[in-house]
Amino acid sequence: MNNPTVHTARHDSAVEVNKVLRNTYTLLAMALAFSAVMAGISSALNLPHPGIILLLVGFYGLLFGIHKTANSGMGIVFVFALTGFMGYSIGPILNMVIASGGSDIVMLAMAGTALIFFALSGYILTTKKDMSFLGGMMVAGFVVILVGFVANLFLNIPALGLALSALFILFSSGAILMQTSAIVNGGERNYILATTTLFVSIYNIFISLLNLLQAFGGDE
């Protein structure tokens, strides 16, 4: 005989999961649109790139703000501040790529990023597979990427830069799988944090694809 208490708990859990998914994807769509607008403005005004130091300070500063305010309305404000800032940083990169005749590369990178995101998200939403086992590999991958990034700041080796771009795509793909799985399986209940993770992953995949496509396209 079915236990009505268990049935109610499962129903409430499913409702909560659907709510988090709906809020996450709604906020993510809005954040991506805002980031695209900021990228367009930055590109049209030919604004300079903020530079790696300012980019990192702005990114981690705003990320810290999101985590501190994730349970309040200010968290949404910080999400748009972060996505707008990252969008602004894309503008100068797009200008550089397009100026070298790489408009097709930009479109291909956008299409590739969308394909990766929807394929990974669709896989988890369909199978509801628990991807928490990736946690250890993600930590190891982050350490490898961090060491490689710092090393390449001094060595400036093109091949290492391309390897890091490939690793960024793999790492960000893993982050999308883990974050979506956490929502679907009840491990993530904060849509602001979920949106931030997905946005950063999409951003990293897009920038990394741009780097790889430029290199293999012979533009570097």
Side-chain angles (χ1 to χ4, degrees):
M1 187 173 181
N2 292 331
N3 188 328
T5 302
V6 174
H7 178 74
T8 301
R10 289 177 178 173
H11 177 266
D12 291 344
S13 177
V15 170
E16 182 66 21
V17 166
N18 289 333
K19 179 181 178 182
V20 176
L21 277 173
R22 182 175 64 253
N23 289 342
T24 297
Y25 286 123
T26 299
L27 182 58
L28 180 62
M30 295 171 63
L32 287 170
F34 181 63
S35 185
V37 169
M38 291 303 297
I41 293 175
S42 175
S43 176
L45 297 178
N46 200 27
L47 299 178
H49 191 273
I52 188 63
I53 301 299
L54 183 57
L55 180 64
L56 291 176
V57 170
F59 171 74
Y60 283 107
L62 291 170
L63 195 62
F64 176 79
I66 289 173
H67 280 270
K68 293 293 289 185
T69 60
N71 294 312
S72 68
M74 277 302 297
I76 297 178
V77 175
F78 272 104
V79 166
F80 281 103
L82 174 67
T83 57
F85 176 70
M86 300 309 286
Y88 151 67
S89 72
I90 291 178
I93 298 175
L94 295 181
N95 283 345
M96 180 185 67
V97 175
I98 293 174
S100 62
S103 55
D104 290 342
I105 288 178
V106 173
M107 297 304 296
L108 188 57
M110 291 176 62
T113 302
L115 179 61
I116 291 172
F117 174 73
F118 286 118
L120 295 176
S121 298
Y123 171 72
I124 298 299
L125 292 174
T126 301
T127 65
K128 295 179 170 55
K129 188 172 182 180
D130 183 1
M131 304 299 291
S132 59
F133 67 89
L134 291 175
M137 288 183 285
M138 292 292 287
V139 172
F142 177 77
V143 172
V144 171
I145 290 173
L146 181 61
V147 172
F149 178 77
V150 173
N152 209 38
L153 285 178
F154 298 97
L155 300 176
N156 194 26
I157 302 174
L160 179 56
L162 294 178
L164 286 173
S165 292
L167 285 175
F168 258 119
I169 292 175
L170 291 175
F171 180 83
S172 298
S173 296
I176 291 173
L177 287 172
M178 285 190 65
Q179 184 62 81
T180 308
S181 173
I183 298 173
V184 170
N185 291 291
E188 178 64 84
R189 286 291 178 262
N190 191 302
Y191 71 94
I192 291 177
L193 295 179
T195 298
T196 302
T197 298
L198 293 177
F199 174 85
V200 172
S201 299
I202 291 171
Y203 175 92
N204 285 335
I205 290 174
F206 176 68
I207 294 298
S208 298
L209 278 177
L210 271 182
N211 290 335
L212 291 174
L213 290 172
Q214 272 194 288
F216 292 123
D219 290 322
E220 288 187 344

